[in-house]
Amino acid sequence: MSAATSDTVINGRPDPSPPAGSRAGSEAGNRFLSIPYLLLRATTAGGGLIGGLVQTFVFARILDPERFSVFILVGTLGIALWLCDIGLVKIIFVRLRTWLLAGAEAGAAIVQHATAIVILYFLLGIAGTIGCFAGALMFGAGAYASLELALFFLFTAITLVWFTLRNISLAVDDFIFFESMEVTRRTLHVGFMLATLAGLSLMAFLVIANLIWAALFAVMIARLSRNGALQATVAGFPGHLRSFFRHNRKEVVSGGTYAVNEFYLYNFAYAIVPMAYGLGAPTIILDTLFKVVRGATVLYSAASDVALPRQTRAYSEGDRKSLLLSTGMAAALASLPGIGICIALAFFSEPMFRLLLGESAVMPQAISNLMIILLIANLIQTVSNFLLIHTGYFRVIARVSVLVSLAATLVAGIAIVAGADLTGFIKAFTAVYVASALCYLTLALRGPLRKKT
């Protein structure tokens, strides 16, 4: 068993052996399929898709197209904070999960590392918010408008910390409580966002939305601290962060390469399209396409999350049959929303996007058709990558991600130089994306799904 293919080996060295039998996984974590978790995760995933569409629906009505485009770009910058993750969260997941599957409490060093990553991401979110405010002022926005943009940046960027807490909760089989909090968050955020159509100011929504974030973080951090997955103090943060990077150099390099290239693949078009095709309708159409794809990714990820406790347990135990069955279950569950979205796009795209975008832009039918292809490829890629990442195949997926980014850049450049319109540009992107999905599927079939671990 090599370091590149094992979730019980970190940086080429076995994790310190935990004392046997001190703790078993939760009852939900031991089940092949937890129905409460399935229902909760389906609800939160659906909320993610609805939340993105509601945001587009609301902003298309309370903002003019140019200002809407600016908020899209600021939101993209907020998501860009995820670049700072460089796969660190998944390394924490693998290490915490290894201890839990061994029936032990997490070692002190692992808990310190997890806490250090959470603190780091909080600090990055605050720094980015201050930078966004200063940048908006520098480009001529007034103080009030700059504050709105900064709060929207924070509202978007802070999801990186929430993503970290979700992975920590999943690693220690506390996923049901986390998803209950996620249902609360989605409901409140969407509700207050819709209230802006009834007269609530955008500033008021942004302040309330970030206060909701603060309350939820307080609850989750207290919960994970009581469960021994996080420290209840920030003491020693710099030293613990240095220790994390020192003990996980290889995984940080491989995971970081993959994370950076994945982020680039999903976001480089946000820099190219406004320059090549302009702000306003082209940027709004691009953003809507990626909102649908990212929303579907949330649904596919939810299906993969449901299967993940059993997948990682089967991989750890060398149970290939259960690993195949749980991976097939993830694919089957993911296909259900995927089929529904594809049918809606095939038969109802014109009225759906007319309702969604209003007078801001008109979605071409050809791009709606390309969305269907992207959604199918995205399903294949998401299920494959979930298995590869959470069983420690950081190195192999890093190599493929670099090739995919290079191919996407080259093909996009050729499309623009050749004079392709926005539809042609997206067609070129789709071709690269389909090829990348097939590559990751091949890696999963030849890696964790092939061998008895």
Side-chain angles (χ1 to χ4, degrees):
M1 194 185 301
S2 69
T5 59
S6 171
D7 65 351
T8 60
V9 178
I10 302 298
N11 197 25
R13 304 183 306 276
D15 242 5
S17 298
S22 65
R23 185 161 86 103
S26 69
E27 183 181 348
N30 285 320
R31 295 174 186 165
F32 192 85
L33 173 63
S34 170
I35 299 301
Y37 183 40
L38 172 63
L39 295 176
L40 278 169
R41 196 66 185 91
T43 300
T44 57
L49 177 60
I50 292 170
L53 296 177
V54 166
Q55 181 175 300
T56 297
F57 178 85
V58 169
F59 282 14
R61 283 155 179 79
I62 67 173
L63 303 172
D64 63 70
E66 185 168 344
R67 192 163 180 236
F68 185 9
S69 299
V70 172
F71 269 83
I72 288 173
L73 295 178
V74 169
T76 303
L77 288 175
I79 296 172
L81 192 67
W82 288 57
L83 266 176
C84 300
D85 174 50
I86 59 171
L88 307 186
V89 171
K90 295 306 180 182
I91 296 170
I92 292 295
F93 172 91
V94 169
R95 294 197 60 159
L96 283 171
R97 190 69 180 159
T98 298
W99 280 78
L100 180 124
L101 293 176
E105 297 288 346
I110 299 174
V111 175
Q112 290 166 355
H113 293 167
T115 306
I117 297 302
V118 171
I119 295 170
L120 173 65
Y121 290 166
F122 265 123
L123 294 176
L124 287 172
I126 294 170
T129 301
I130 295 171
C132 180
F133 179 76
L137 284 176
M138 188 182 305
F139 280 98
Y144 188 87
S146 297
L147 183 58
E148 281 186 331
L149 291 172
L151 288 174
F152 183 66
F153 176 93
L154 180 62
F155 170 70
T156 305
I158 207 69
T159 55
L160 175 58
V161 184
W162 196 240
F163 168 77
T164 306
L165 296 182
R166 164 176 268 145
N167 276 268
I168 293 172
S169 299
L170 187 58
V172 298
D173 283 342
D174 199 23
F175 42 78
I176 289 179
F177 182 83
F178 179 91
E179 295 305 326
S180 299
M181 293 296 98
E182 175 70 345
V183 169
T184 302
R185 176 184 85 81
R186 292 287 186 189
T187 301
L188 291 173
H189 279 162
V190 170
F192 280 105
M193 193 178 296
L194 286 171
T196 61
L197 297 175
L200 183 70
S201 71
L202 179 59
M203 176 66 82
F205 160 70
L206 292 169
V207 170
I208 292 169
N210 283 300
L211 288 175
I212 290 169
W213 271 128
L216 290 169
F217 281 126
V219 171
M220 279 308 308
I221 290 172
R223 167 92 174 190
L224 290 171
S225 297
R226 288 195 300 271
N227 289 347
L230 286 178
Q231 284 186 320
T233 175
V234 299
F237 159 66
H240 298 155
L241 191 61
R242 287 194 299 270
S243 173
F244 171 81
F245 284 105
R246 185 171 60 251
H247 286 88
N248 298 281
R249 289 190 188 96
K250 292 182 180 179
E251 286 74 17
V252 169
V253 172
S254 296
T257 300
Y258 170 74
V260 168
N261 282 282
E262 276 291 282
F263 176 86
Y264 176 80
L265 180 65
Y266 284 104
N267 291 279
F268 81 103
Y270 280 98
I272 294 175
V273 167
M275 291 188 295
Y277 303 104
L279 288 170
T283 301
I284 292 170
I285 289 170
L286 177 79
D287 181 63
T288 303
L289 180 147
F290 278 108
K291 271 195 171 68
V292 172
V293 174
R294 279 195 289 260
T297 303
V298 171
L299 298 174
Y300 302 156
S301 298
S304 299
D305 277 343
V306 171
L308 192 57
R310 187 57 198 161
Q311 277 181 314
T312 50
R313 195 174 293 275
Y315 184 82
S316 177
E317 296 170 354
D319 185 352
R320 184 169 180 266
K321 180 180 178 181
S322 291
L323 182 60
L324 288 167
L325 286 173
S326 55
T327 304
M329 178 179 71
L333 291 172
S335 69
L336 296 177
I339 290 171
I341 298 171
C342 288
I343 290 173
L345 288 171
F347 295 101
F348 309 108
S349 62
E350 194 275 333
M352 281 195 314
F353 288 121
R354 187 173 66 245
L355 174 66
L356 183 66
L357 300 176
E359 301 297 323
S360 298
V362 176
M363 178 67 69
Q365 183 60 47
I367 294 181
S368 296
N369 295 337
L370 289 170
M371 278 189 211
I372 296 174
I373 299 173
L374 284 169
L375 289 172
I376 295 170
N378 185 239
L379 189 155
I380 295 169
Q381 180 161 314
T382 300
V383 174
S384 300
N385 282 9
F386 248 74
L387 178 61
L388 289 162
I389 290 168
H390 292 95
T391 52
Y393 281 73
F394 298 116
R395 189 178 304 169
V396 291
I397 62 175
R399 294 169 182 165
V400 173
S401 69
V402 172
L403 296 176
V404 172
S405 291
L406 291 173
T409 304
L410 178 63
V411 169
I414 292 172
I416 291 173
V417 170
D421 60 7
L422 181 63
T423 300
F425 175 87
I426 293 173
K427 189 179 296 183
F429 174 85
T430 301
V432 174
Y433 194 86
V434 169
S436 76
L438 294 177
C439 285
Y440 288 118
L441 174 61
T442 302
L443 290 176
L445 292 172
R446 296 181 62 183
L449 292 175
R450 181 180 180 182
K451 299 178 181 179
K452 289 191 175 182
T453 51

